[in-house]
């Protein structure tokens, strides 16, 4: 579906030819003498329409309005949450209709803001996404264009472009999350990364078994041993900032299918373990959005990807493996494999001297018990990083909740035969998993997002949600904005010392004689 932004007044909206006109009506709406305003007032006064979030009234061939269908939908107080509810309801009514061009009117809000635009576009994108990769017959998509009508398109342009870029990233995350394991192998995930590298400022490096062995990633390799599908360690780079700027590192768990290994899972709903790579999918989605928005920030994406299978070569409970960090790990449960691949990726992240590292993983069923499907679990050793992620979640409506990391939770991970065990008892399972990862994240600001409850839906609505791409992108854009505020120039004494030291170099002498514009460009580089 294509998006378009357009300036349309209430009167102009009435003359816009389209298959459907969806009008978000806030609780407090200023009166008007145009056809649309009078239609809304009459419908409200008669009791046929309420302005509560999600309440609908549909009309066909309305006098004075050019649209074939008119859908009035209540938007309550006009908060982002209410807008999302309203658009979800409206898109639900249009899903089975023949509408191809829809105008979504946001121009009735008194003080429209970027959060409303974000919520509206995101809801449209969510409704428009359909999975088709493994279907023999794909029904044609009827809805082709969504026009966002606002009072001032110029003022809304930045928020609109951000939301459209985010929709692209979330759609990519959904697509890879939804694919069955035989259509989303580690090699195929690496192929998706290479496709992303075609976008500006993005590069991809793919490491295979030999390279991973050379790095000493014994924990990651141990998980992959039971599968015939070769592992891949995917390194994505987005170079949007200055070379000297420390990057943010995103680490996504990429277990493309999780049987549990020798500690095999129950058969019921095991098919949903294709979603165990949704952390990896969220990293791919975030990079897709970075490629669209081009923020001034450096970002690294790390995806350790493999299958967890119960082959004769698979690791066994009681085995001890050596991680890239040199720490030994006793495997008490082979179904706790996510932390085993992530710990080596966290150690690998050290080489980038990152400003922050965020890992994303469908890590524990215990997090689902604790938080359900509403909020992702957030664990962090850094208060500022944790607060930034919490704020990003609130702004993007991709919510998370901070969980504890008290040192006492690590007691259950003690082992008589290794430096650490990979599981503790059942109590506080999501916390002890995070405590395990924390051992490998001591050299940088670190946060862990447990998305086991939020990455996908089960039942009749089974499918990937694309979370937490919105949260990650919101956080990254905030970091880019903060980086832009930093002063370009350093202390005069430092500059003077550097100039003295380098003054004998021919390149410096040539630069001093160069025009002012050339010197400024060189300093910025």
């Amino acid at each position: 579906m294509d998006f378009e932004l357009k300036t349309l007044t209430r009167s102009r909206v009435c003359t816009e030819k389209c298959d459907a006109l969806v009008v978000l009506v806030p609780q407090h709406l200023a009166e008007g003498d145009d056809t649309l305003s009078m239609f809304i007032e009459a419908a409200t006064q008669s009791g046929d329409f309420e302005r509560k979030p999600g309440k609908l009234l549909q009309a066909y061939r309305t006098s004075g309005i050019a649209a074939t269908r008119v859908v009035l939908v209540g938007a309550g107080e006009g908060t982002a949450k209410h807008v999302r509810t309203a658009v979800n309801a409206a898109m639900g009514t249009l899903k089975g209709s023949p509408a191809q061009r829809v105008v979504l009117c946001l121009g009735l809000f008194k003080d429209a803001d970027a959060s409303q635009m974000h919520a509206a576009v995101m809801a449209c994108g969510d409704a428009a996404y359909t999975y088709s990769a493994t279907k023999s017959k794909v029904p044609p998509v009827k809805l082709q264009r969504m026009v966002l009508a606002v009072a001032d398109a110029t003022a809304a342009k930045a928020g609109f472009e951000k939301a459209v870029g985010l929709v692209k990233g979330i759609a990519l995350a959904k697509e890879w999350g939804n694919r069955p394991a035989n259509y989303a192998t580690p090699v195929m995930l690496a192929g998706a990364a290479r496709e992303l590298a075609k976008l500006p400022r993005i590069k991809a490096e793919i490491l295979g078994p030999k390279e991973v062995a050379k790095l000493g990633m014994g924990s990651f390799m141990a998980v992959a041993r039971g599968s015939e599908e070769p592992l891949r360690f995917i390194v994505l780079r987005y170079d949007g900032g200055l070379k000297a700027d420390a990057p943010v590192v995103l680490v996504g768990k990429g277990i493309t299918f999780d049987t549990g290994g020798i500690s095999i899972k129950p058969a019921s709903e095991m098919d949903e373990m294709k979603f165990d790579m949704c952390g990896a999918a969220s990293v791919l989605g975030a990079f897709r959005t970075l490629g669209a928005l081009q923020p001034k920030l450096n970002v690294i994406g790390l995806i350790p990807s493999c299958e967890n299978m119960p082959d004769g070569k698979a690791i066994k409970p009681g085995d001890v493996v050596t991680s890239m960090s040199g720490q030994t790990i006793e495997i008490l449960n082979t179904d706790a494999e996510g932390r085993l691949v992530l710990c080596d990726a966290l150690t690998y992240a050290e080489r980038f001297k990152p400003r922050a590292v965020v890992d994303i993983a469908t890590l524990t069923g215990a997090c689902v018990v604790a938080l359900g499907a509403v909020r992702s679990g957030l664990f962090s050793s850094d208060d500022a990083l944790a607060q930034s992620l919490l704020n990003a979640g609130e702004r993007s409506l991709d919510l998370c909740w901070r969980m504890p990391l008290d040192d006492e939770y690590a007691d259950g991970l003690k082992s008589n035969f290794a430096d650490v065990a990979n599981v503790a008892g059942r109590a506080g399972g999501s916390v002890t998993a995070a405590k395990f990862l924390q051992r490998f994240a001591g050299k940088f600001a670190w946060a862990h997002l447990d998305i086991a409850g939020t990455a996908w839906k089960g039942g009749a609505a089974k499918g990937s949600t694309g979370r937490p791409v919105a949260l990650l992108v919101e956080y990254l854009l905030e970091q880019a904005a903060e980086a832009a505020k930093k002063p370009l120039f350093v202390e005069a004494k430092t500059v003077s010392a550097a100039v003295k030291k380098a003054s004998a170099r021919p390149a410096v002498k040539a630069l001093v004689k160069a025009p002012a514009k050339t010197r400024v460009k060189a300093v910025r580089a």
Side-chain angles (χ1 to χ4, degrees):
M1 180 171 65
D2 294 324
F3 289 92
E4 179 185 350
L5 184 64
K6 200 169 185 179
T7 299
L8 292 174
T9 62
R10 293 193 200 185
S11 298
R12 183 69 182 82
V13 162
C14 296
T15 63
E16 188 76 9
K17 292 182 179 180
C18 56
D19 299 309
L21 171 63
V22 176
V23 184
L24 301 194
V25 185
Q27 193 70 47
H28 307 290
L29 176 64
E31 294 182 1
D33 57 2
D34 57 281
T35 303
L36 179 60
S37 296
M38 290 189 288
F39 175 50
I40 293 170
E41 185 62 26
T44 304
Q45 292 295 331
S46 68
D48 290 319
F49 175 62
E50 292 183 72
R51 299 179 186 180
K52 294 178 181 178
K55 294 292 184 179
L56 291 167
L57 175 66
Q58 298 184 65
Y60 187 76
R61 299 288 183 187
T62 306
S63 177
I65 298 178
T68 304
R69 297 169 186 76
V70 177
V71 181
L72 301 183
V73 55
E77 298 300 321
T79 63
K81 188 175 181 180
H82 286 177
V83 169
R84 180 176 65 179
T85 300
V87 177
N88 281 338
M91 293 300 289
T93 66
L94 294 175
K95 206 160 190 179
S97 76
Q100 294 184 10
R101 185 176 186 272
V102 174
V103 173
L104 176 60
C105 180
L106 301 173
L108 302 190
F109 296 111
K110 184 178 179 182
D111 298 309
D113 59 29
S115 67
Q116 293 167 337
M117 176 66 69
H118 169 91
V121 174
M122 293 289 290
C124 290
D126 188 54
Y129 172 80
T130 55
Y131 174 78
S132 60
T134 53
K135 293 185 177 181
S136 59
K137 294 181 181 179
V138 182
V141 179
K142 293 177 182 176
L143 183 55
Q144 299 292 329
R145 180 168 288 274
M146 177 66 68
V147 179
L148 279 294
V150 294
D152 185 352
T154 303
K157 185 179 179 181
F160 172 77
E161 290 178 345
K162 172 185 169 183
V164 172
L166 189 51
V167 164
K168 293 176 182 177
I170 290 174
L172 183 67
K174 284 182 179 180
E175 181 65 23
W176 282 99
N178 285 333
R179 290 189 177 202
N182 58 330
Y183 282 79
T185 64
V187 171
M188 292 175 180
L189 273 188
R194 287 194 179 96
E195 284 297 310
L196 287 172
K198 295 177 181 178
L199 297 173
R201 297 180 175 177
I202 295 180
K203 298 175 183 176
E205 181 184 7
I206 311 300
L207 307 182
K210 289 182 180 179
E211 294 85 358
V212 167
K214 190 174 180 180
L215 287 166
M217 292 185 171
S219 186
F220 176 27
M221 291 189 297
V223 177
R225 265 174 26 196
S227 174
E228 292 187 9
E229 291 288 346
L231 64 78
R232 288 292 184 270
F233 189 80
I234 301 165
V235 182
L236 282 164
R237 302 183 68 111
Y238 172 76
D239 298 318
L242 298 175
K243 287 184 179 180
D245 291 347
V248 174
V249 178
L250 303 179
V251 182
K253 175 186 172 185
I255 302 296
T256 56
F257 195 80
D258 180 21
T259 65
I262 299 301
S263 307
I264 198 164
K265 293 177 179 290
S268 177
E269 298 179 345
M270 195 197 282
D271 66 288
E272 294 187 1
M273 287 302 96
K274 70 176 185 176
F275 294 118
D276 211 23
M277 43 67 67
C278 282
S282 72
V283 173
L284 295 176
F287 270 77
R288 176 64 185 89
T289 300
L290 290 173
L293 301 183
Q294 296 287 297
K296 294 182 178 180
L297 182 74
N298 295 330
V299 185
I300 303 292
L302 303 178
I303 299 174
S305 183
C306 67
E307 291 182 336
N308 185 24
M309 300 290 283
D311 181 75
K313 293 181 181 179
I315 49 172
K316 308 172 293 297
D319 284 359
V320 174
V321 299
T322 303
S323 67
M324 185 181 178
S325 69
Q327 297 180 70
T328 58
I329 305 166
E330 183 183 12
I331 312 297
L332 297 181
N333 188 324
T334 64
D335 193 23
E337 86 299 328
R339 63 200 75 180
L340 296 177
V341 304
L342 289 173
C343 71
D344 279 347
L346 290 172
T347 301
Y348 187 87
E350 292 175 9
R351 66 186 56 203
F352 300 107
K353 295 180 173 56
R355 61 194 295 171
V357 176
V358 182
D359 76 70
I360 312 102
T362 50
L363 206 64
T364 65
C367 197
V368 184
V369 174
L371 297 175
V374 178
R375 291 179 182 261
S376 301
L378 167 64
F379 302 81
S380 183
S381 57
D382 186 280
D383 290 340
L385 175 58
Q387 194 58 53
S388 293
L389 289 167
L390 284 167
N391 293 343
E394 295 294 330
R395 290 194 303 272
S396 64
L397 300 181
D398 192 348
L399 305 173
C400 58
W401 189 260
R402 193 174 184 184
M403 303 284 277
L405 275 175
D406 303 73
D407 289 340
E408 289 79 5
Y409 282 109
D411 290 345
L413 294 170
K414 292 178 180 178
S415 167
N416 292 337
F417 308 104
D419 297 328
V420 64
N422 77 322
V423 292
R426 291 187 64 187
S430 62
V431 185
T432 56
K435 290 300 293 183
F436 177 91
L437 293 176
Q438 189 181 15
R439 294 176 62 97
F440 303 86
K443 296 184 180 180
F444 40 71
W446 161 79
H448 159 60
L449 287 168
D450 192 331
I451 60 170
T454 57
W456 80 91
K457 296 177 181 178
K462 184 185 293 186
S464 171
T465 63
R467 294 178 67 182
V469 173
L471 185 160
L472 295 173
V473 169
E474 187 68 28
Y475 166 72
L476 292 173
L477 294 180
E478 178 195 40
Q479 294 303 299
E482 288 184 5
K485 294 176 184 176
K486 290 183 179 179
L488 175 64
F489 300 103
V490 293
E491 194 175 339
K493 288 181 181 179
T494 306
V495 174
S496 178
V499 168
K500 275 186 178 181
K501 187 176 180 181
S503 60
R505 298 176 188 172
V508 174
K509 289 179 179 179
L511 183 61
V512 170
K513 295 178 182 179
K517 286 184 179 179
T518 304
R519 294 199 300 271
V520 169
K521 285 181 180 179
V523 169
R524 287 184 178 274

